[in-house]
Every structure is written in structure tokens, then in C-alpha cells.
Amino acid sequence: MKAPKQKKQLNKQLKAHYQQHSLSELQLEKLQNLSVNNKPSLIKPLLAVAASSLLALSLYIVNFTGLNYGDISEEIAYNHNSQMQMEVFSESIDGIQSHLNRLGFSLIESAQLAGESWQLVGGRYCSISGKIAAQLKIKNLNTLKTYTFYQAKLPEKFFNIIQDKEIFVDGVSVKMWQENGLLMGLAK
Amino acid sequence: MFNFFRPSKKVTFSKLLLNELYRYALSLCQQSDQAYDLVQSSCEKVLKQKIEQDSLKAYMMTCIRNEYFDQFRHFKLSLVVDEKLQNEQSVNEEVVLQHLDSIMIDKQHVAIILEQLSIDERELLYLWAVEGFSMQEIATQTNTARGTLLSRISRLKKRLQNDFPHLVKEVS
């Protein structure tokens, strides 16, 4: 016996035709498992770790491997304001050097303070960043003002990276530079 | 920048979505195994991309389409630009769709007719009848000019009437 033919609109019949076709439960499960088993890419976490490491390294280099001008200038300004008594009074570098014989480096006449306008007054031991240093008193003969001048041995790794720097701390102007492997600091 | 490090939302495939994609793939290739492979391939592609759940279906349909035409390109004839057809841009959409709506057919004859149609025609019918797309949406999905689609429908209707007069009937 023939089934009665029922003509319907094309779109309805097409819909019904495609509705008959479905994926099996097994196929659906397999496809859905693709997203479950899809492990997140390692690229992003790795990039995040790399970026953090780079940032940390940069901070380390900036803060711990370079000269900490901020701390040094604070120390120099503090010593300058303390107006400590000189241990030796002499107008010559040699005279001060002979007294401060445990410095481990030779004091120099700085090219930046050369000329007849500067006069050495005396010196004493001090420390900068925990390292032994010389604290010298010098007078500007033009202005008759007294300055505190520091010399300390500069670690070899900083020989070529130090730049002239001037920082104002507690009302004191601290100028720092490198000369002949020594860190120079002038407080006024 | 922070969006880059923000974990992307996990894409999930619902059974409804997978079945819809499967039927669309089936409308293209007419073979269940091939249709399944196309769906699987689109799922794998989506998982490698950063696709929002909202646009998932449209993206996967495009994946399926591209994959199918890439894989089975050799089945396609080279494109011939028919200037006469190109000039049929002014075909009225409403009239053309009325022609399609007026076609009556038996359930058991649908499969027979689909087998005789070209891939483009099957896809067009699927998107129109099952997905309920407008001509503009079909044009966007298939990257085909709207006028070309309307011309295709007109030709399809003529073909159905000429080749399958015993299977289809037109009602006014």
C-alpha cells in the first residue's frame, strides 16, 4: 500500500529533510571532548614569565648593579652637614695622604678643582656605602666658602659607566663624578 | 596589553551547534563522513583561534565552507562570468522568493532533487530554508553578490520545473 503523498512547501520539506540528519552521540561526544582536551597554549604564560623576568632584571640592574647615586649623595650631604673635625690639617695632598695611610688608594688633585682658587684645608677618614673614603675640606679662595670633598675607590665595574651627576639633598648640593678610577663627591 | 595576558574564554560546542554545523556541511558535501570531518576540522580551527562564543557559529560555518571548497576544489568547474546574468541585478528579491515559496514537493523527493543540484544551489537552499537567512545574509556568508543569488534561484526554479515536473508542483 502506497503512503499518501503530501506535498508541502519546499522550505518546510528541506527543513524536515535536514532535521533527519544528526550526529551520533559518539560523534558529538568526540567533538565536545576536543574543547575539553584543548589545553591552554603555553605561549602566553611563557611570554608573561619572560616579561616579568625582564622587568625584574631591569629593576635589579638599575637598583643594585649601578651606583646608587641617591644613597651616596645622602651620605655625603649628611657628612657635610655634620661638620666633623678634621684628623689632619694640611694644604697638600701628600700631607693628608701620609696621615690617611689606610685608604688603599692614592688621593688625587682633581682636574675639576684645579687652579689657584682652591685650597686644601685638611682631611679625615669616612665611609661611603660602607667603603673607606677620604673626606677632605677645601676652601674656595674666591668665595672663601668651605666645601667637603670626598674621594673613594670606585669598583672596577663602574669605571666606564659613571656620569657626572648633581643631586640636591637636605639643602646640600652634591656633585659626583669619576676621575682616575676614584669616585669624587663635592658637597656645598 | 593586559588583554593579551588575560586568559581567553573557553570555547564550548553545544550539541545543537554541532548538529547545525553538521547539517550545513552535509548540504555542501552530501556525505555524512565528509560532513563530520568538516565539522571536526572547524572545531579544531576554532580552538586555535580567539573566537567569541557569540560569533562561533558564523565563524565555523565559514571554516566549513572554506575547507570544503579547498579540499574539493577540483570538483568545481572554472568560473565563467556570464554578463547576461551579471545584468540581472535588478531581479526583485520578493518575487524570486515567492517563486521558491510556491514550490510544493513531497518529503521523499527532497533527497532526490538535492542529489541533482550543484553545491552552490544546495548551500543556497539550506541557508534559506533551514537557517532562515535573508538573501543579504546568504550573500555575506557565501561571499556572493546578492544579484547572483537571486539569478541562481530563478534558474533553480526553472530547472526544478523542467527537470522534475513530476516531483514538484507550483501553487499560485
Side-chain angles (χ1 to χ4, degrees), chain A residues 3-63:
Chain A
K5 289 183 179 179
Q6 282 191 330
K7 281 188 167 35
K8 279 187 184 172
Q9 277 182 308
L10 179 63
N11 61 344
K12 285 179 185 160
Q13 296 291 33
L14 281 167
K15 220 177 219 174
H17 168 79
Y18 281 108
Q19 284 295 333
Q20 293 173 351
H21 300 277
S22 297
L23 290 162
S24 68
E25 280 302 314
L26 188 66
Q27 286 174 319
L28 286 168
E29 196 180 328
K30 253 177 150 181
L31 292 172
Q32 286 182 318
N33 280 340
L34 287 175
S35 76
V36 174
N37 297 332
N38 183 46
K39 288 179 183 166
S41 165
L42 283 175
I43 292 173
K44 274 190 190 177
L46 282 176
L47 276 174
V49 169
S52 308
S53 306
L54 191 65
L55 185 67
L57 184 65
S58 307
L59 285 171
Y60 174 78
I61 288 170
V62 168
N63 290 304

Side-chain angles (χ1 to χ4, degrees), chain B residues 45-142:
Chain B
K45 274 183 187 158
V46 155
L47 292 172
K48 287 179 192 164
Q49 304 286 323
K50 199 178 177 180
I51 307 295
E52 290 295 321
Q53 194 79 27
D54 296 345
S55 49
L56 198 58
K57 186 179 172 185
Y59 181 83
M60 291 178 83
M61 283 175 79
T62 306
C63 284
I64 287 171
R65 189 170 197 278
N66 292 344
E67 174 92 9
Y68 177 72
F69 284 115
D70 277 351
Q71 280 183 11
F72 307 102
R73 199 184 294 276
H74 59 281
F75 287 136
K76 288 193 79 184
L77 299 174
S78 58
L79 181 69
V80 177
V81 178
D82 187 332
E83 288 187 7
K84 192 181 164 193
L85 286 179
Q86 290 232 315
N87 291 333
E88 287 184 41
Q89 299 285 322
S90 59
V91 180
N92 187 306
E93 178 173 337
E94 206 176 320
V95 174
V96 171
L97 290 179
Q98 271 176 3
H99 286 164
L100 268 189
D101 281 336
S102 66
I103 293 174
M104 305 295 280
I105 188 169
D106 277 334
K107 190 179 173 184
Q108 62 266 41
H109 293 150
V110 174
I112 298 170
I113 285 176
L114 285 176
E115 272 178 25
Q116 305 301 315
L117 299 182
S118 70
I119 298 162
D120 290 337
E121 289 168 333
R122 278 201 308 271
E123 184 186 28
L124 171 59
L125 284 180
Y126 177 86
L127 295 175
W128 165 71
V130 182
E131 291 293 337
F133 280 12
S134 68
M135 277 304 123
Q136 189 52 55
E137 287 170 327
I138 297 173
T140 306
Q141 171 68 26
T142 60

Side-chain angles (χ1 to χ4, degrees), chain A residues 159-182:
Chain A
F159 276 10
N160 297 317
I161 60 171
I162 191 170
Q163 293 174 337
D164 287 11
K165 200 133 189 154
E166 188 162 8
I167 297 175
F168 289 88
V169 190
D170 298 333
V172 179
S173 159
V174 181
K175 189 181 175 189
M176 290 165 284
W177 70 95
Q178 182 203 320
E179 208 170 322
N180 290 356
L182 297 182

